[in-house]
Amino acid sequence: MSYSEFADVYDSLQSDVDYARRTEYLLSLFKKYDRQPTLLLDLACGTGGFSLQFQKCGIDVIGVDISPEMLDVARSRFSDENREALLLCQSAAELDLYGTVDGAICCLDSLNHIIDEEELCESIAKVSLFLEPERLFIFDVNTEYKHREILSGNTFVCDEEDVYCVWNCSECDEEGIVDISLDFFKRNGDGSYRRSGEEFSERAYSVPFLTKTCEDAGLEVLAVLSDMSEADAKSIDDRIIFVTRKR
């Protein structure tokens, strides 16, 4: 997926995401299991929603994303707030920072977009490589339940003020992969609409697989939680949170 068209409408389609509230939640986990970081890696930062919120909390942030178009939007977002951040165009599997960080996050199901098992393992290993010992990597993923019971074979519609999106999902296959096609209809200044689209796939990974992947990368899994909760994850959760610590 190029994300070139997606970047232009991403924030409109994510209007229901409360970045400030989710940032408070993530900070509560950092404080519960370790401490508030001073230099945070925001992996697959997209348009910088979380990066900006963490910086507003006094935390230096390195945002990394594979999409230059997403990063362009992120830079504009920071500029509008008279702020600056280090934003790097890299894939997760090729992560290469200038030094270590004392905290890392990956949010909004970004790891599900990595459908190759080896690439996912390499991505998590790279985070571990640049994470200081005893520090936390917190990430969320869409679950197998969501892929098989919610996404599989269904169509979703998002109707926002400036963009209309039709989200078509294939049947979930045996590996937990759902192919997704997006049709965007974005309003022009004259009231007409411009149509564009993107195609990508998401893969759901099991908790045991993700746990072993983290452990092989030198990350201890401290907790697997229901989204926006401190309770243990349940079998019917559609999104879960992993709290891991570098050994």
Side-chain angles (χ1 to χ4, degrees), residues 6-66:
F6 202 13
D8 193 38
V9 299
Y10 183 82
D11 287 336
S12 294
L13 298 178
Q14 296 285 61
S15 60
D16 62 333
V17 177
D18 190 335
Y19 286 102
R21 181 168 171 263
R22 282 191 167 272
T23 297
E24 289 179 4
Y25 168 69
L26 292 169
L27 282 174
S28 74
L29 296 180
F30 274 107
K31 293 172 183 177
K32 177 178 179 178
Y33 292 96
D34 182 23
R35 58 171 173 76
Q36 178 168 308
T38 59
L39 177 59
L40 179 79
L41 166 66
D42 184 3
L43 185 67
C45 66
T47 60
F50 287 106
S51 294
L52 181 60
Q53 290 298 322
F54 275 94
Q55 194 183 87
K56 287 181 177 180
C57 294
I59 299 169
D60 291 328
V61 179
I62 301 174
V64 174
D65 200 273
I66 196 173

Side-chain angles (χ1 to χ4, degrees), residues 7 19 52 81 100 118-119 127 133-134 137 146 149 154-155 162 180 200 211-212 216 220 222 224-225 236 240 242:
Y19 286 102
L52 181 60
E81 297 278 346
T100 57
E118 291 186 6
E119 184 179 351
V127 174
E134 305 300 320
F137 174 37
K146 180 174 183 177
E149 302 299 329
N154 285 322
T155 297
D162 295 324
I180 298 170
F200 61 96
T211 299
K212 184 177 186 305
D216 289 347
E220 177 187 4
L222 303 179
V224 182
L225 308 172
I236 59 172
I240 55 178
F242 274 73

Side-chain angles (χ1 to χ4, degrees), residues 134-196:
E134 305 300 320
R135 303 281 77 89
L136 301 184
F137 174 37
I138 301 174
F139 63 89
D140 67 54
V141 289
N142 280 338
T143 62
E144 293 179 298
Y145 173 84
K146 180 174 183 177
H147 275 228
R148 300 189 190 284
E149 302 299 329
I150 299 176
L151 296 182
S152 182
N154 285 322
T155 297
F156 305 90
V157 171
C158 181
D159 188 2
E160 298 294 332
E161 181 178 356
D162 295 324
V163 63
Y164 182 86
C165 174
V166 180
W167 183 296
N168 291 297
C169 301
S170 72
E171 297 288 339
C172 184
D173 69 15
E174 293 182 356
E175 293 184 326
I177 296 175
V178 173
D179 298 322
I180 298 170
S181 65
L182 303 179
D183 280 316
F184 308 121
F185 300 85
K186 186 172 182 182
R187 189 190 299 273
N188 297 316
D190 61 2
S192 63
Y193 284 82
R194 179 178 67 87
R195 181 180 180 180
S196 60

